[in-house]
Amino acid sequence: MRDVVIIGTGQTGVGEHWTRSLRHLAHDAIMPAMRDAGVDAVGALYVGNMLSGQLVEQEHLGALIADFVGLRGIEAMKIEAACASGAAALRTGFMAVASGLHDLVLVCGVEKMTDTSGSDTTTALATAADQEYEIAEGVSFVALNALLMRRYMHEYKLAKDAFAPFTINAHKNAANNANAMFRSPVSAAAYAGAGMIADPINLLDSSPVCDGAACVVLAPADLYKGRAQARIVASSVATDSLALHDRRDPLMLDAVATSSHLAYAQARLTPDDIDLFELHDAFSIMAVLSLEAAGFAPCGGGVRLGQEGAIAIDGRIPISTMGGLKARGHPVGATGVYQVVEVVQQLMGRCGANQVRDARVGMAQNIGGSGATAITHILAGM
Amino acid sequence: MRDVVIIGTGQTGVGEHWTRSLRHLAHDAIMPAMRDAGVDAVGALYVGNMLSGQLVEQEHLGALIADFVGLRGIEAMKIEAACASGAAALRTGFMAVASGLHDLVLVCGVEKMTDTSGSDTTTALATAADQEYEIAEGVSFVALNALLMRRYMHEYKLAKDAFAPFTINAHKNAANNANAMFRSPVSAAAYAGAGMIADPINLLDSSPVCDGAACVVLAPADLYKGRAQARIVASSVATDSLALHDRRDPLMLDAVATSSHLAYAQARLTPDDIDLFELHDAFSIMAVLSLEAAGFAPCGGGVRLGQEGAIAIDGRIPISTMGGLKARGHPVGATGVYQVVEVVQQLMGRCGANQVRDARVGMAQNIGGSGATAITHILAGM
């Protein structure tokens, strides 16, 4: 099995792109990534996307995007694992290069959620949960996360403001990211006064509906050593039940724990070695549960990492360093690739005011549904 | 890179399964495949599916199905390449085993098209074509294939009955397949009198809307030599433009040609070495164009293979040996896996009245859209 490196990255700004269709967004991430990598041809394209069939009434994105960016003919397909689709596409690209089947591979995550023609967004997002045993009962995807947050607050006797530091941190970091959707800082007072969506989840606990695309170019380490920007030292996927009521313990994300520990074992690292962690903060509660399941805090201790400032750029375990899902934005199927692009930028020391000092090892973790899929990649700088 | 073998297969009957939901269908193919392989645990599950988000309002099939069949925790994801999703999942599973990342892998193609809750089927299937430049103009997916068939008839001065042998052959073979949807023979008179759907495509040129699931278990050849049922000697993916009007020549399926020739090169074989060809006869015209692009007939000569009987079980290049998409049925995202299961059955000499004599090498080819994705696998018997 060959070592795999990233030799180029690209991304669009995250937001409401009313003048760019899905294929244009993919193009706008792929072309800069190929320029960055200095390549004009690749062997394959793996597209991470969850919602195009439902929202844009377009499937078959592999061939569509390959053709649109001038790569007609190459191997191409779409990979879906709900909100973890971007990382699932990266996992597939990793296999294609590691196996020796392809030397150069594009992984593009893309999602178009505004200005759409198909289902409404709430219905479409609910397909990440168990249709027959959760959604059919009338619960929405946000409401499922609200159940988790309520249970956490009950179990650990917490008030809602315990979660505020996660939102404040994400927005603070996004202010310095030109590609982020929300670049305004948020105060504790604003968090406390934000409109309720599904109690106790309010507007400022939630990542936004938005459009975006991100891309990385993968290559084998031995052939592209001089051009490598980061090395993928771990890649792992784990799953759990879709339905919350089927979980062993709703507050322990088993898939996150398994995927994280598989990744640590592959990389021969421990949580102490991770310099930054791009986690899946689709909702504040997901950030907290991820920190616990991934081994950065004991059960019930995740919120304290926020309260103590450990999640800040200069903290013990910086998270959402470019704004995270909360403030950079969460174009669902693209998110997993955005996370990896940002880790690469950190490892290359290109993050300006948000630079994590001496960042040598970064972890990106993309979650599908309310924790049913967890995909972890650990990257090391060159 | 490791050699990959198939050590078990499973399939449900194809038809209208009003009492089985999507997850049940997958279960009904996976459990017999695991029993056939003699394994009770695997490292990963790759699900081929196109339409679940739109028709069943359920995405995230990887984790859902892994959990439902008792494999909670394993790596799992869904792969989509329109009607070629089944073969795309097989391609992904092939990479996972070839790379050494997993030893045992399940590939399950599944589609639930009847008794659904979401979009109508015609709208959903149209997402295989170019939404912005074809479908938005009002054309349906069947109509796109009708344009190809009309052009072919015009170019080669053919009457419609030239296509009848493909339907007659498929139905004749399906009569002996207990898993086929249509087990009644069809006469030339019935073909001539069949109701028109999109002129010149009539009901008997078209594969049916249906439900089904099929599964194969993959393993590395070196570790599972004694249990191998067939070896994957070639795996290739090629693409073309989604939109027909963007093609170099609408009657030459470039993706099929590229994918076929890549596969021949990998296997060090020529079309003469192929003992049977499970091709993508979603419509009669697709069977004809596939035979030509894959090198079994010159341009305009595909129909003659039908007229001369070359496509029969005892002909020069048997196709649709268990009924094909036309008569076994075409549960879209499952089809590519059904094709491979049938090739394995042929190579093992288990096809009874439909057995191709001395079948040693079989080719399965799954097409997405009207030819924008073509995925070819060549299998050799043990």
mmCIF file of all heavy atoms in Angstrom, chain A residues 143-161:
data_model
loop_
_atom_site.group_PDB
_atom_site.id
_atom_site.type_symbol
_atom_site.label_atom_id
_atom_site.label_comp_id
_atom_site.label_asym_id
_atom_site.label_seq_id
_atom_site.Cartn_x
_atom_site.Cartn_y
_atom_site.Cartn_z
ATOM 1 N N ALA A 143 -34.266 18.539 15.498
ATOM 2 C CA ALA A 143 -34.908 18.076 16.728
ATOM 3 C C ALA A 143 -34.174 16.878 17.325
ATOM 4 O O ALA A 143 -34.093 16.739 18.551
ATOM 5 C CB ALA A 143 -36.366 17.725 16.449
ATOM 6 N N LEU A 144 -33.628 16.004 16.475
ATOM 7 C CA LEU A 144 -32.860 14.865 16.991
ATOM 8 C C LEU A 144 -31.644 15.361 17.771
ATOM 9 O O LEU A 144 -31.321 14.856 18.848
ATOM 10 C CB LEU A 144 -32.416 13.956 15.841
ATOM 11 C CG LEU A 144 -33.535 13.134 15.197
ATOM 12 C CD1 LEU A 144 -33.065 12.516 13.889
ATOM 13 C CD2 LEU A 144 -34.009 12.046 16.154
ATOM 14 N N ASN A 145 -30.972 16.364 17.216
ATOM 15 C CA ASN A 145 -29.823 16.941 17.914
ATOM 16 C C ASN A 145 -30.261 17.669 19.189
ATOM 17 O O ASN A 145 -29.526 17.697 20.182
ATOM 18 C CB ASN A 145 -29.044 17.868 16.974
ATOM 19 C CG ASN A 145 -28.213 17.078 15.971
ATOM 20 O OD1 ASN A 145 -27.099 16.689 16.265
ATOM 21 N ND2 ASN A 145 -28.777 16.798 14.799
ATOM 22 N N ALA A 146 -31.439 18.247 19.147
ATOM 23 C CA ALA A 146 -31.968 18.919 20.344
ATOM 24 C C ALA A 146 -32.202 17.912 21.470
ATOM 25 O O ALA A 146 -31.951 18.204 22.641
ATOM 26 C CB ALA A 146 -33.267 19.646 20.000
ATOM 27 N N LEU A 147 -32.670 16.712 21.109
ATOM 28 C CA LEU A 147 -32.854 15.669 22.124
ATOM 29 C C LEU A 147 -31.526 15.326 22.798
ATOM 30 O O LEU A 147 -31.456 15.148 24.017
ATOM 31 C CB LEU A 147 -33.454 14.410 21.491
ATOM 32 C CG LEU A 147 -34.905 14.505 21.002
ATOM 33 C CD1 LEU A 147 -35.284 13.249 20.210
ATOM 34 C CD2 LEU A 147 -35.850 14.689 22.179
ATOM 35 N N LEU A 148 -30.469 15.242 21.971
ATOM 36 C CA LEU A 148 -29.144 14.950 22.530
ATOM 37 C C LEU A 148 -28.688 16.063 23.467
ATOM 38 O O LEU A 148 -28.161 15.812 24.559
ATOM 39 C CB LEU A 148 -28.114 14.793 21.392
ATOM 40 C CG LEU A 148 -28.182 13.522 20.555
ATOM 41 C CD1 LEU A 148 -27.151 13.572 19.431
ATOM 42 C CD2 LEU A 148 -27.936 12.297 21.437
ATOM 43 N N MET A 149 -28.882 17.319 23.037
ATOM 44 C CA MET A 149 -28.415 18.452 23.842
ATOM 45 C C MET A 149 -29.192 18.525 25.165
ATOM 46 O O MET A 149 -28.606 18.733 26.229
ATOM 47 C CB MET A 149 -28.580 19.751 23.041
ATOM 48 C CG MET A 149 -28.015 20.980 23.724
ATOM 49 S SD MET A 149 -27.840 22.325 22.520
ATOM 50 C CE MET A 149 -27.463 23.698 23.621
ATOM 51 N N ARG A 150 -30.494 18.325 25.092
ATOM 52 C CA ARG A 150 -31.334 18.350 26.297
ATOM 53 C C ARG A 150 -30.891 17.261 27.276
ATOM 54 O O ARG A 150 -30.751 17.496 28.474
ATOM 55 C CB ARG A 150 -32.803 18.148 25.883
ATOM 56 C CG ARG A 150 -33.779 17.995 27.014
ATOM 57 C CD ARG A 150 -33.904 19.231 27.876
ATOM 58 N NE ARG A 150 -34.552 20.343 27.179
ATOM 59 C CZ ARG A 150 -34.480 21.621 27.585
ATOM 60 N NH1 ARG A 150 -33.757 21.926 28.652
ATOM 61 N NH2 ARG A 150 -35.086 22.580 26.922
ATOM 62 N N ARG A 151 -30.641 16.079 26.734
ATOM 63 C CA ARG A 151 -30.218 14.970 27.591
ATOM 64 C C ARG A 151 -28.874 15.280 28.257
ATOM 65 O O ARG A 151 -28.668 14.992 29.441
ATOM 66 C CB ARG A 151 -30.103 13.685 26.758
ATOM 67 C CG ARG A 151 -29.658 12.457 27.541
ATOM 68 C CD ARG A 151 -30.774 11.894 28.370
ATOM 69 N NE ARG A 151 -30.296 11.037 29.454
ATOM 70 C CZ ARG A 151 -31.037 10.588 30.447
ATOM 71 N NH1 ARG A 151 -32.321 10.898 30.512
ATOM 72 N NH2 ARG A 151 -30.536 9.830 31.381
ATOM 73 N N TYR A 152 -27.964 15.868 27.489
ATOM 74 C CA TYR A 152 -26.632 16.216 28.013
ATOM 75 C C TYR A 152 -26.766 17.232 29.145
ATOM 76 O O TYR A 152 -26.145 17.092 30.198
ATOM 77 C CB TYR A 152 -25.780 16.775 26.873
ATOM 78 C CG TYR A 152 -24.314 16.947 27.206
ATOM 79 C CD1 TYR A 152 -23.392 15.938 26.931
ATOM 80 C CD2 TYR A 152 -23.842 18.124 27.777
ATOM 81 C CE1 TYR A 152 -22.043 16.091 27.219
ATOM 82 C CE2 TYR A 152 -22.496 18.289 28.076
ATOM 83 C CZ TYR A 152 -21.602 17.266 27.786
ATOM 84 O OH TYR A 152 -20.260 17.421 28.077
ATOM 85 N N MET A 153 -27.611 18.246 28.928
ATOM 86 C CA MET A 153 -27.812 19.275 29.959
ATOM 87 C C MET A 153 -28.410 18.666 31.230
ATOM 88 O O MET A 153 -28.037 19.026 32.343
ATOM 89 C CB MET A 153 -28.724 20.387 29.417
ATOM 90 C CG MET A 153 -28.055 21.246 28.350
ATOM 91 S SD MET A 153 -29.221 22.265 27.388
ATOM 92 C CE MET A 153 -29.874 23.350 28.664
ATOM 93 N N HIS A 154 -29.330 17.729 31.028
ATOM 94 C CA HIS A 154 -29.949 17.051 32.171
ATOM 95 C C HIS A 154 -28.927 16.189 32.914
ATOM 96 O O HIS A 154 -28.808 16.255 34.145
ATOM 97 C CB HIS A 154 -31.115 16.187 31.680
ATOM 98 C CG HIS A 154 -31.638 15.230 32.707
ATOM 99 N ND1 HIS A 154 -32.489 15.619 33.710
ATOM 100 C CD2 HIS A 154 -31.411 13.904 32.897
ATOM 101 C CE1 HIS A 154 -32.768 14.572 34.472
ATOM 102 N NE2 HIS A 154 -32.131 13.526 34.001
ATOM 103 N N GLU A 155 -28.200 15.415 32.169
ATOM 104 C CA GLU A 155 -27.274 14.438 32.757
ATOM 105 C C GLU A 155 -26.172 15.130 33.560
ATOM 106 O O GLU A 155 -25.781 14.652 34.626
ATOM 107 C CB GLU A 155 -26.657 13.616 31.614
ATOM 108 C CG GLU A 155 -26.070 12.283 31.997
ATOM 109 C CD GLU A 155 -27.132 11.269 32.400
ATOM 110 O OE1 GLU A 155 -28.125 11.106 31.660
ATOM 111 O OE2 GLU A 155 -26.954 10.657 33.465
ATOM 112 N N TYR A 156 -25.682 16.255 33.008
ATOM 113 C CA TYR A 156 -24.547 16.911 33.667
ATOM 114 C C TYR A 156 -24.962 18.217 34.358
ATOM 115 O O TYR A 156 -24.107 19.028 34.705
ATOM 116 C CB TYR A 156 -23.413 17.127 32.652
ATOM 117 C CG TYR A 156 -22.934 15.813 32.082
ATOM 118 C CD1 TYR A 156 -23.157 15.492 30.741
ATOM 119 C CD2 TYR A 156 -22.316 14.864 32.893
ATOM 120 C CE1 TYR A 156 -22.756 14.264 30.227
ATOM 121 C CE2 TYR A 156 -21.911 13.634 32.381
ATOM 122 C CZ TYR A 156 -22.141 13.340 31.050
ATOM 123 O OH TYR A 156 -21.747 12.125 30.547
ATOM 124 N N LYS A 157 -26.271 18.418 34.503
ATOM 125 C CA LYS A 157 -26.804 19.575 35.244
ATOM 126 C C LYS A 157 -26.209 20.891 34.754
ATOM 127 O O LYS A 157 -25.587 21.649 35.508
ATOM 128 C CB LYS A 157 -26.568 19.392 36.755
ATOM 129 C CG LYS A 157 -27.240 18.119 37.271
ATOM 130 C CD LYS A 157 -27.045 17.905 38.743
ATOM 131 C CE LYS A 157 -27.759 16.632 39.219
ATOM 132 N NZ LYS A 157 -27.630 15.455 38.295
ATOM 133 N N LEU A 158 -26.380 21.124 33.472
ATOM 134 C CA LEU A 158 -25.792 22.317 32.851
ATOM 135 C C LEU A 158 -26.878 23.276 32.389
ATOM 136 O O LEU A 158 -27.956 22.846 31.965
ATOM 137 C CB LEU A 158 -24.977 21.908 31.621
ATOM 138 C CG LEU A 158 -23.702 21.097 31.880
ATOM 139 C CD1 LEU A 158 -23.199 20.498 30.580
ATOM 140 C CD2 LEU A 158 -22.635 21.995 32.507
ATOM 141 N N ALA A 159 -26.568 24.572 32.453
ATOM 142 C CA ALA A 159 -27.439 25.561 31.823
ATOM 143 C C ALA A 159 -26.999 25.702 30.363
ATOM 144 O O ALA A 159 -25.903 25.291 29.986
ATOM 145 C CB ALA A 159 -27.331 26.894 32.540
ATOM 146 N N LYS A 160 -27.873 26.289 29.585
ATOM 147 C CA LYS A 160 -27.609 26.382 28.154
ATOM 148 C C LYS A 160 -26.358 27.193 27.831
ATOM 149 O O LYS A 160 -25.662 26.919 26.835
ATOM 150 C CB LYS A 160 -28.840 26.999 27.485
ATOM 151 C CG LYS A 160 -28.668 27.111 25.996
ATOM 152 C CD LYS A 160 -29.935 27.303 25.252
ATOM 153 C CE LYS A 160 -29.574 27.770 23.842
ATOM 154 N NZ LYS A 160 -28.443 27.021 23.273
ATOM 155 N N ASP A 161 -26.049 28.202 28.662
ATOM 156 C CA ASP A 161 -24.915 29.074 28.323
ATOM 157 C C ASP A 161 -23.571 28.342 28.394
ATOM 158 O O ASP A 161 -22.549 28.869 27.955
ATOM 159 C CB ASP A 161 -24.902 30.340 29.194
ATOM 160 C CG ASP A 161 -24.756 30.029 30.678
ATOM 161 O OD1 ASP A 161 -24.590 28.833 31.033
ATOM 162 O OD2 ASP A 161 -24.821 30.977 31.483
#
